[in-house]
Amino acid sequence: AHSEEPGPGHARVVHTVADIRTAVADAKRSGKKVGFVPTMGHLHEGHLQLIDAAAKDCDVVVVSIFVNPSQFAAHEDFEQYPRHLDADVGALNLQGKTHLVFAPSAVDMYPKDPRALTLSTAVVPRAVVGAPEDAQRPHFFTGVATVCSKLFNIVQPDAVFFGQKDAVQCVVIRNLIEDLSMPIEFNVVPTARASDGLALSSRNAYLTPDQRARAPVVHRALRAGELQLRAGNGSVSAEKVTAAVREVLESENYVKVQYVDIAGFRDMKSVDTVSVVNAGGVRPESPVIISVGLTMGEGDQTVRLIDNIVVQ
């Protein structure tokens, strides 16, 4: 028995699968709706907005903090990825909307293979295989789908909350829940941005001051693509839109563009043309996402950024 009821302002931190299951089962037994926000920690305002959304919709909010090894390839920044559990829990308690924090170890999550390089079972999200972001990080979405399947089975939430910034991830999780018949409501929260337009991301911590000053070019470029789309009549070629995005990005010689893509909102399948209608302003017949992946800087100071905007 715990002397104080976990609640906003003094979130209870649990580390084992058994403890989080017991805590969530207790909440559900008293008829409470449980919302879940999975994170890799290094929390920022974007995460707090997801928690806000969960708190509005649910009685109990669970946040997981776990740097998931299965979504990092052997050469990626798994060891360097920022980990600050105490600071993260402090930020959650300051916000005052989280009841339970689940912070497992890799051994808790992957007892047979803590670095998760050769899992005996994995969830492969086939619908996004070959999408531009998947092509850049071919192991990544299998890692995301696998860890989210595990987390959903462990926590057993009624509702989950994800950020639009990770657009392909949103498609992966929506499909995961629908295709595997999970009794979970899926919610997408708009991308949180700094006042200059840069999408908030834990990896922004890697940006040098100079890179941070230049990084808003990413959102400016996406807006240029949106303007090109909204200037269209009848049908607009994807090439015209992506060219407008590239033109802004390539005006800055420190950016290396990996991809610019325009795709359907629900499935992230790339499209060649977009049908637009003029109904109180030009908009696509069905919502599309303009997305970019790029790197800034060189050598040890290379930072990868992704961003997207929904046009509807």
Side-chain angles (χ1 to χ4, degrees):
H2 291 267
S3 57
E4 66 175 28
E5 181 67 20
H10 43 89
R12 183 175 153 213
V13 181
V14 297
H15 298 282
T16 69
V17 171
D19 284 350
I20 193 67
R21 279 191 169 147
T22 302
V24 171
D26 287 348
K28 286 185 155 186
R29 205 173 295 118
S30 47
K32 291 179 173 163
K33 181 177 183 180
V34 176
F36 180 40
V37 179
T39 81
M40 293 209 304
H42 201 57
L43 302 181
H44 52 66
E45 178 60 30
H47 295 110
L48 300 182
Q49 289 183 18
L50 297 178
I51 293 161
D52 269 333
K56 282 195 184 83
D57 188 57
C58 303
D59 306 306
V60 171
V61 176
V62 181
V63 174
S64 64
I65 295 177
F66 177 59
V67 181
N68 173 36
S70 74
Q71 64 199 62
F72 292 81
H75 66 278
E76 288 190 324
D77 59 343
F78 175 63
E79 301 302 338
Q80 288 73 42
Y81 198 87
R83 293 163 174 81
H84 310 288
L85 181 61
D86 290 348
D88 287 339
V89 173
L92 294 175
N93 284 335
L94 197 59
Q95 183 191 27
K97 295 187 176 176
T98 299
H99 300 74
L100 291 160
V101 176
F102 178 45
S105 71
V107 175
D108 283 305
M109 290 296 286
Y110 300 109
K112 295 183 202 163
D113 177 16
R115 180 57 183 87
L117 290 173
T118 53
L119 294 177
S120 52
T121 303
V123 180
V124 180
R126 290 188 182 137
V128 302
V129 169
E133 183 62 20
D134 176 70
Q136 290 297 321
R137 304 182 76 192
H139 54 283
F140 176 76
F141 292 110
T142 292
V144 167
T146 302
V147 79
C148 284
S149 297
K150 288 179 69 75
L151 287 167
F152 296 171
N153 281 330
I154 291 165
V155 175
Q156 303 204 356
D158 298 301
V160 293
F161 298 80
F162 285 80
Q164 177 58 47
K165 177 183 163 285
D166 299 301
V168 181
Q169 177 172 276
C170 288
V171 171
V172 166
I173 303 304
R174 181 183 276 123
N175 286 343
L176 177 74
I177 289 169
E178 288 176 4
D179 296 349
L180 301 186
S181 307
M182 296 180 178
I184 298 172
E185 290 169 21
F186 177 69
N187 300 275
V188 178
V189 177
T191 301
R193 298 187 180 278
S195 57
D196 59 11
L198 179 65
L200 300 187
S201 165
S202 299
R203 283 194 172 90
N204 290 356
Y206 298 157
L207 294 168
T208 65
D210 179 54
Q211 288 170 336
R212 175 61 190 85
R214 296 162 179 255
V217 71
V218 180
H219 189 236
R220 275 205 311 280
L222 288 168
R223 292 302 303 269
E226 177 183 2
L227 287 172
Q228 186 68 54
L229 186 55
R230 292 197 192 277
N233 185 7
S235 152
V236 181
S237 82
E239 207 173 317
K240 212 170 182 181
V241 175
T242 58
V245 177
R246 280 181 184 277
E247 188 181 351
V248 176
L249 291 173
E250 287 167 357
S251 68
E252 305 283 8
N253 58 14
Y254 57 90
V255 167
K256 290 193 178 68
V257 179
Q258 294 173 326
Y259 67 82
V260 180
D261 189 49
I262 183 162
F265 173 67
R266 287 287 297 204
D267 59 9
M268 285 303 283
K269 295 262 184 270
S270 301
V271 295
D272 294 327
T273 58
V274 180
S275 299
V276 295
V277 292
N278 193 341
V282 176
R283 59 177 179 76
E285 265 181 32
S286 50
V288 293
I289 292 184
I290 308 172
S291 60
V292 299
L294 53 85
T295 61
M296 295 181 77
E298 289 177 345
D300 289 349
Q301 292 194 328
T302 304
V303 182
R304 183 165 189 270
L305 299 176
I306 61 169
D307 198 0
N308 67 80
I309 51 174
V310 181
V311 185
Q312 56 193 359

